[in-house]
Amino acid sequence: MSALLYGIVDADRRPPVQRDFEGRRLRLLSCGSVAGVVGEVLPASAVDEAALREYARVVEALMVEGPVLPARWGSVASEADIALMLAERHNELLRALERVRGAVEFSVRPAEGRVRAVAASGSAPTTAAAGSGSGAAGAGTAYLQARFAAERTERELSEIVDAAAGSMVRARAWRPTRALALLVESDRAAEFAARIRARGLVLTGPWPPWSFSGGAR
Amino acid sequence: MSDALVPGGTQDVALIDLLDRLLQGGIVIHGQITLAAAEIDLVRLDLRVLIGAIDTLVTS
């Protein structure tokens, strides 16, 4: 029987109260000290923005009850294959759970005007070489300028976060959406959010640790 | 989790941030778990297009 995997949790937590897309209680598939939280598979025809938000909401609710490693959207497999995966990657998953235990994820980005300011200053050294930006050389230069600007934005954001609340940050990761993801101690999350907002940055969260769950494999 | 900590309001965040998390983040189970359907691949494609558009906006 196929199941939709929502995330990985401690095996000894209480059974989840959240429900799947069919309105049924989510189930725990346990293996040693870890468990997969699974529910019914959503029909492909029913996949829309509301479904994605509902999936994210359920993972958030799981986070409130204890550490969770979110599963990437669309993780569908037979329950036997999920159990096999839990067995094969048991120790790796356990270590990943420990990394996120007692922590939540925030996303930080500059306010819109500031992004442009940073991007402009980042590209300044090579602006003359870029010319009009037309043609293959222009496109390549523009690409490098964009990368340079993104790296500069990341560096600047990191410096601001370090100055404002560095001691609360456990880990960080740069997102393709040009935001800095931060793994922050849960018990200092409210203080962290206040300090970051006071610096004029745009903050979202707390999220489940989507960016700190071990990555692709 | 602290009482002061309310989950981030997934219902309120921009779709681009949500897609970034759901389609680019999280545990991936190689080989044994596959995306559910072609429609989800389209969502992935949309995400790349959106990110491309944001890159263009930011750098232009």
Side-chain angles (χ1 to χ4, degrees):
Chain A
M1 188 173 95
S2 287
L4 177 64
L5 181 67
Y6 285 77
I8 308 294
V9 299
D10 290 322
D12 60 358
R13 74 188 275 165
R14 61 183 180 175
V17 298
Q18 292 77 28
R19 296 179 183 274
D20 63 19
F21 290 102
E22 299 290 328
R24 298 179 190 153
R25 280 274 188 96
L26 297 182
R27 291 171 287 121
L28 289 182
L29 294 179
S30 297
C31 176
S33 300
V34 300
V37 182
V38 300
E40 296 297 311
V41 178
L42 180 69
S45 60
V47 175
D48 57 11
E49 181 180 341
L52 293 172
R53 289 190 184 278
E54 171 61 13
Y55 180 82
R57 189 196 64 76
V58 169
V59 176
E60 271 189 3
L62 291 171
M63 173 183 75
V64 172
E65 296 171 2
V68 60
L69 303 173
R72 187 168 296 186
W73 166 258
S75 297
V76 174
S78 71
E79 293 193 5
D81 279 346
I82 292 175
L84 183 62
M85 178 276 294
L86 293 174
E88 288 181 346
R89 296 174 62 183
H90 179 271
N91 291 343
E92 171 200 340
L93 295 171
L94 202 54
R95 284 194 298 273
L97 272 174
E98 287 309 314
R99 278 200 301 273
V100 303
R101 190 179 301 279
V104 292
E105 179 173 331
F106 281 95
S107 180
V108 176
R109 61 162 54 92
E112 186 179 350
R114 192 152 184 203
V115 173
R116 296 213 165 98
V118 170
S121 62
S123 62
T126 52
T127 296
S132 65
S134 62
T141 303
Y143 170 77
L144 290 175
Q145 283 181 329
R147 287 216 27 192
F148 183 67
E151 288 170 7
R152 190 181 174 100
T153 303
E154 177 183 3
R155 195 165 56 244
E156 184 174 297
L157 277 174
S158 264
E159 288 169 2
I160 295 172
V161 168
D162 282 341
S167 65
M168 305 175 195
V169 175
R170 207 184 274 187
R172 64 193 72 199
W174 182 242
R175 302 299 313 176
T177 49
R178 301 205 166 196
L180 187 62
L182 300 156
L183 190 64
V184 174
E185 305 293 338
S186 295
D187 57 2
R188 304 190 71 184
E191 182 185 358
F192 174 83
R195 288 195 189 187
I196 295 301
R197 289 196 174 107
R199 300 290 179 123
L201 300 178
V202 176
L203 182 85
T204 61
W207 301 80
W210 292 99
S211 306
F212 304 98
S213 292
R217 175 173 168 172
Chain B
M1 180 173 285
S2 140
D3 289 342
L5 187 58
V6 177
T10 290
Q11 309 308 310
D12 298 329
V13 300
L15 181 60
I16 183 68
D17 284 322
L18 190 69
L19 289 173
D20 174 42
R21 292 317 196 276
L22 266 61
L23 303 183
Q24 302 264 8
I27 288 275
V28 175
I29 296 93
H30 176 68
Q32 294 163 353
I33 293 190
T34 56
L35 292 175
E39 282 81 356
I40 297 175
D41 282 330
L42 286 178
V43 174
R44 280 177 167 271
L45 178 62
D46 286 347
L47 176 67
R48 294 200 181 98
V49 171
L50 278 169
I51 290 172
I54 285 177
D55 278 349
T56 305
L57 266 177
V58 170
T59 55
S60 63

